Amino acid sequence: MICLATGKLLASVQPLLSDLRLSGTHITCNGAALMDAATGAPVSTWPLSDAHVDLALAAISDLAPDMAIAWYTTDAIYTDAPWGPLDEALATYHEPALRHVARLDHTLPPPLKFLMTGDHARLLTLRDALLERIGSVVTVVRITSDFVEV
């Protein structure tokens, strides 16, 4: 049995799963969801708690108020930013089109992770500041030079 592990949504890797004729459960959103390839349904998920959502959003807002945030769920990515660099970056990685909403808040499905993109040096500074501020409570990673994720 082969299991893919990715930071992406299952929808983003469905063509690869088909090409490789893979079925079963796959790891998505950096381990925050186990997804069934056949049904597209979650097997298990570990969303951020409401308290962690509030903590992370407050920290990002304080440290980088102009930075767009991608709010990942099992089957969609939301943002309250206007169409722009975040949409372009995620399209480059073959993620589905972002769903633009008025606000990122608890009326949305629970997030599995937050993702930010931008200038490489700025992302490094943001990652370090987020680690210092909230890193003892949530995981903050920079898996590629393009993204910082909570």
Side-chain angles (χ1 to χ4, degrees):
M1 177 177 281
I2 296 173
C3 170
L4 292 186
T6 182
K8 296 178 175 207
L9 294 183
L10 182 68
S12 302
V13 295
Q14 280 290 13
L16 179 60
L17 294 174
S18 290
D19 289 348
L20 297 175
R21 297 185 194 130
L22 297 178
S23 60
T25 302
H26 299 277
I27 302 165
T28 63
C29 292
N30 293 345
L34 299 178
M35 303 293 292
D36 182 87
T39 65
V43 174
S44 294
T45 62
W46 297 271
L48 293 165
S49 70
D50 287 352
H52 290 159
V53 167
D54 295 341
L55 179 73
L57 290 178
I60 296 164
S61 177
D62 287 349
L63 297 167
D66 61 325
M67 192 164 281
I69 300 169
W71 172 298
Y72 273 69
T73 67
T74 58
D75 62 353
I77 307 168
Y78 297 87
T79 188
D80 61 353
W83 196 95
L86 181 60
D87 298 82
E88 293 170 359
L90 292 179
T92 299
Y93 283 89
H94 307 288
E95 291 283 32
L98 276 74
R99 296 184 184 179
H100 290 264
V101 295
R103 289 180 9 162
L104 297 177
D105 60 26
H106 296 291
T107 62
L108 297 171
L112 300 172
K113 70 176 186 174
F114 296 129
L115 175 147
M116 288 76 58
T117 190
D119 172 74
H120 300 284
R122 184 170 184 214
L123 289 174
L124 185 58
T125 300
L126 176 61
R127 185 211 54 197
D128 292 346
L130 287 171
L131 280 170
E132 184 176 317
R133 184 155 170 188
I134 62 174
S136 64
V137 179
V138 296
T139 303
V140 178
V141 295
R142 188 168 180 222
I143 294 173
T144 72
S145 62
D146 296 337
F147 303 123
V148 168
E149 301 179 33
V150 174

